[in-house]
């Protein structure tokens, strides 16, 4: 499987591609071009709902929705979870006003330049490959959620239990190909130009499983909303 070792995340000033995806929280399709010329949009590209960290980032983005909309900024959450599975999840975990789309193929992640990290025996070439040892050496620190900083695999297992999240066959299929998909959030202005971004890519994985600083995000939102 190719690791797309040429992918580099879109930067402020880059034009975002158009995406057309199946809507989860409404009928039909959602296209990024629907917003172009109309309003700015915050695009959150997450791993599937099988990822305990992403479930939390999605909820955090949903909590910002009212504040974003107040500034005239739309918010779109993209998950690489098949549509039926995603609809079921959001039916049981409703997030008011959440606009979400399903992208099991992760085409939008590639289009925005987010690599799919390949786990290897002993080779690390960040952000395209990481050895299992290096991955296990990472520490996820989530005070209030985890009892102590843990490696990503232990943290994920702990949070799944805490959430009573049971992996389905659909989840396992997504994990088989996209377990290492790096994620990010991109704020696009009315013209579809990236004005701000936060991704897991920089600095050798220092931002893995992290979330953007809400003040930083809102100050960028304030700029594009002018």
């Amino acid at each position: 499987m190719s690791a797309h070792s040429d992918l580099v995340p879109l930067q402020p000033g880059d034009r975002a591609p158009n995406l057309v995806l199946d809507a989860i929280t409404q009928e039909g399709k959602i296209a990024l071009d629907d917003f172009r010329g109309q309003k700015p949009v915050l695009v959150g590209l997450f791993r599937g709902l099988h990822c305990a960290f992403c479930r939390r980032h999605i909820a955090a983005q949903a909590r910002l929705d009212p504040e974003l909309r107040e500034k005239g900024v739309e918010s779109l959450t993209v998950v690489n979870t098949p549509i039926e599975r995603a609809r079921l999840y959001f039916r049981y975990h409703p997030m008011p006003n959440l606009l979400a789309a399903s992208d099991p193929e992760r085409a939008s992640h590639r289009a925005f330049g987010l690599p799919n990290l390949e786990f290897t025996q002993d080779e690390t070439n960040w952000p395209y490959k990481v050895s299992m040892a290096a991955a296990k050496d990472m520490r996820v620190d989530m005070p209030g959620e985890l009892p102590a900083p843990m490696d990503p695999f232990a943290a994920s297992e702990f949070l799944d239990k805490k959430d009573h999240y049971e992996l389905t066959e659909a989840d396992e299929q997504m994990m088989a190909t996209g377990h290492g998909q790096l994620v990010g959030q991109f704020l696009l202005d009315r013209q579809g130009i990236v004005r701000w971004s936060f991704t897991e890519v920089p600095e050798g994985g220092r931002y893995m499983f992290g979330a953007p600083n809400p003040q930083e995000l809102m100050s960028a939102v304030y700029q594009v909303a002018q």
Side-chain angles (χ1 to χ4, degrees):
M1 190 177 68
S2 147
H4 287 280
S5 52
D6 48 350
L7 285 180
V8 175
L10 295 187
Q11 298 299 316
D14 290 339
R15 170 174 283 276
N18 183 34
L19 306 171
V20 182
L21 301 169
D22 287 319
I24 296 168
T25 42
Q26 60 187 47
E27 289 307 312
K29 304 266 186 202
I30 297 176
L32 271 189
D33 274 3
D34 295 345
F35 304 105
R36 228 179 280 263
Q38 304 296 318
K39 50 171 72 169
V41 59
L42 175 65
V43 182
L45 301 172
F46 300 104
R47 282 180 286 278
L49 295 164
H50 59 263
C51 165
F53 312 109
C54 291
R55 294 197 298 272
R56 281 153 177 77
H57 298 329
I58 291 162
Q61 183 165 311
R63 281 194 294 276
L64 281 177
D65 271 357
E67 216 177 324
L68 293 171
R69 292 212 167 94
E70 205 177 289
K71 301 264 185 292
V73 177
E74 193 51 77
S75 162
L76 172 64
T77 292
V78 178
V79 289
N80 55 276
T81 297
I83 188 97
E84 287 78 15
R85 173 66 176 138
R87 283 190 168 152
L88 189 66
Y89 178 82
F90 288 117
R91 190 173 308 144
Y92 287 102
H93 301 84
M95 297 180 194
N97 304 322
L98 178 76
L99 186 61
S102 158
D103 184 2
E105 307 297 321
R106 306 190 315 283
S108 42
H109 300 69
R110 284 191 295 279
F112 274 80
L114 294 168
N116 185 17
L117 195 57
E118 191 187 319
F119 292 97
T120 68
Q121 250 346 90
D122 46 22
E123 188 191 351
T124 294
N125 170 25
W126 189 267
Y128 309 109
K129 293 179 177 182
V130 68
S131 73
M132 284 305 284
K136 283 203 170 109
D137 278 346
M138 290 180 173
R139 284 295 168 267
V140 185
D141 189 11
M142 297 170 76
E145 288 269 25
L146 296 174
M150 293 166 119
D151 79 66
F153 306 101
S156 180
E157 206 173 307
F158 181 90
L159 294 173
D160 279 345
K161 280 205 181 94
K162 183 175 174 171
D163 298 348
H164 304 292
Y165 190 90
E166 306 224 346
L167 293 174
T168 63
E169 198 180 328
D171 290 322
E172 276 161 9
Q173 281 169 352
M174 294 300 104
M175 288 167 77
T177 54
H179 205 33
Q181 177 63 61
L182 298 181
V183 304
Q185 286 159 289
F186 298 83
L187 180 64
L188 314 182
D189 67 13
R190 275 181 195 80
Q191 276 59 56
I193 306 293
V194 177
R195 290 296 169 210
W196 168 93
S197 68
F198 172 89
T199 76
E200 290 181 316
V201 173
E203 294 180 40
R206 194 163 89 79
Y207 298 103
M208 278 300 285
F209 317 111
N213 172 319
Q215 281 75 27
E216 206 182 289
L217 168 56
M218 288 316 291
S219 105
V221 162
Y222 196 75
Q223 297 295 314
V224 303
Q226 294 299 300

